[in-house]
């Protein structure tokens, strides 16, 4: 199943999911790779969900130590957990001057 199909199925299931959702933002090369900038993703109704769990759902490849992640605009570790209503931003390495 490709990333778009996986995300489409998740979005369709949101109405049936009582676990809430998070907003996922992608920046720079990640945005270009995925072909989208912002999505709402449902959370499971039971248990906890980590940043890495959501990363695997996005199907953007293996986690890289050079990626940064912010939850509600605060940098966190990839093992951090998210809750309904959070904003999750994946930040690839930036270059520039």
């Amino acid at each position: 199943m490709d990333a778009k199909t996986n995300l489409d199925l998740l979005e369709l299931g949101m109405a049936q999911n009582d676990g809430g959702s998070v907003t996922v933002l992608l920046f720079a090369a990640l945005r270009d790779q995925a072909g989208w900038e912002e999505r709402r993703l449902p959370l499971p109704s039971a248990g906890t969900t980590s940043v890495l769990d959501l990363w695997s759902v996005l199907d953007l490849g293996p986690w890289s130590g050079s990626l940064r992640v912010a939850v509600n605009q605060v940098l966190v570790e990839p093992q951090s957990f998210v809750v309904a209503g959070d904003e999750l931003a994946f930040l690839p390495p930036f270059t520039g001057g």
Side-chain angles (χ1 to χ4, degrees):
M1 181 179 309
D2 67 14
K4 180 173 178 4
T5 303
N6 200 13
L7 289 170
D8 289 343
L9 290 173
L10 281 171
E11 289 171 345
L12 285 173
M14 284 182 66
Q16 301 169 347
N17 184 341
D18 61 2
S21 63
V22 294
T23 300
V24 177
L25 305 173
L26 300 180
F27 291 90
L30 289 174
R31 177 189 59 226
D32 296 340
Q33 177 184 347
W36 55 270
E37 182 175 353
E38 180 176 338
R39 291 270 172 107
R40 291 192 57 78
L41 293 180
L43 294 174
S45 58
T48 56
T49 302
S50 73
V51 169
L52 288 175
D53 291 335
L54 290 175
W55 176 259
S56 67
V57 169
L58 298 174
D59 198 27
L60 294 172
W63 180 261
S64 168
S66 63
L67 291 172
R68 302 295 302 242
V69 62
V71 174
N72 301 324
Q73 300 181 4
V74 175
L75 291 175
V76 299
E77 295 296 319
Q79 298 82 9
S80 299
F81 292 100
V82 297
V83 297
D86 281 348
E87 176 188 80
L88 182 63
F90 291 102
L91 311 162
F94 289 92
T95 60

